Amino acid sequence: QVQLVESGGRLVQAGGSLRLSCVASGRTFSNYAMGWFRQAPGKEREFVAAISWSGGNGYYADSVKGRFTISRDNAKNTVYLQMNGLKPEDTAVYYCAANPQLVLLVQARYRHLEHWGQGTLVTVSS
C-alpha cells in the first residue's frame, strides 16, 4: 500500500505561482509513476500531469501545458507540481496519485488507480 499526502494549496491571485508537494510512504516510491489530478466544484476529476518513475518524462493536460511543471525527488519520496501563471479556472482540489504504469495515469483510468492522497485546495482569485 502507498500512502500519499499532498500539501501546498492555498489562495493565490491570478497570475501567481504555487508549488504543490505530495509525499509518499509505504512502498518503494521509485517503483511508481506519479500523477496530479484536480476536481473543480461541480465538475469531474481531470488529469493534470504525470511523470515516469525515473522523472525523465512528463505529460500534461493541454489546459496546463507551458504553465505547470511536474517533477519528483525519489530520495525524498516526493512529487511536485509547480504552477505558474495561475488562472481562476485552475481553482480546484488537487490530488496526487501513484501507479506502476504511467499510461494509466496519463489516460486517467480511474478504475485502475488505487492510490490517492486526500487532496489540497487551490483557489485562484481574479
Side-chain angles (χ1 to χ4, degrees), residues 72-91:
R72 65 189 294 162
D73 185 337
N74 286 345
K76 295 183 179 180
N77 288 359
T78 303
V79 62
Y80 303 99
L81 185 68
Q82 178 66 43
M83 304 186 293
N84 299 327
L86 283 161
K87 305 175 181 180
E89 51 264 43
D90 294 319
T91 294

Side-chain angles (χ1 to χ4, degrees), residues 6 9 16 19 25 30 34 52 55 63 66 71 74-75 83 87 103 105 110 122:
E6 303 96 333
R19 188 176 81 159
S25 61
S30 58
M34 299 295 297
S52 63
S63 59
S71 63
N74 286 345
M83 304 186 293
K87 305 175 181 180
V103 64
L105 293 165
Y110 295 117
V122 173

Side-chain angles (χ1 to χ4, degrees), residues 37 47 49-51 59-60 101-109:
F37 295 77
F47 168 76
I51 191 166
Y59 298 84
Y60 299 91
Q101 297 185 58
L102 176 64
V103 64
L104 297 181
L105 293 165
V106 175
Q107 295 182 356
R109 300 286 188 92

Side-chain angles (χ1 to χ4, degrees), residues 2-81:
V2 177
Q3 291 80 42
L4 304 171
V5 179
E6 303 96 333
S7 63
R10 62 175 176 85
L11 174 65
V12 62
Q13 288 189 333
S17 298
L18 208 55
R19 188 176 81 159
L20 305 183
S21 300
C22 172
V23 179
S25 61
R27 292 285 184 94
T28 303
F29 180 66
S30 58
N31 287 347
Y32 291 84
M34 299 295 297
W36 285 96
F37 295 77
R38 67 186 181 186
Q39 188 165 18
K43 295 187 177 181
E44 294 186 351
R45 191 171 298 192
E46 63 176 359
F47 168 76
V48 175
I51 191 166
S52 63
W53 66 270
S54 66
N57 296 298
Y59 298 84
Y60 299 91
D62 288 343
S63 59
V64 306
K65 205 170 292 184
R67 300 188 297 123
F68 291 10
T69 302
I70 188 171
S71 63
R72 65 189 294 162
D73 185 337
N74 286 345
K76 295 183 179 180
N77 288 359
T78 303
V79 62
Y80 303 99
L81 185 68

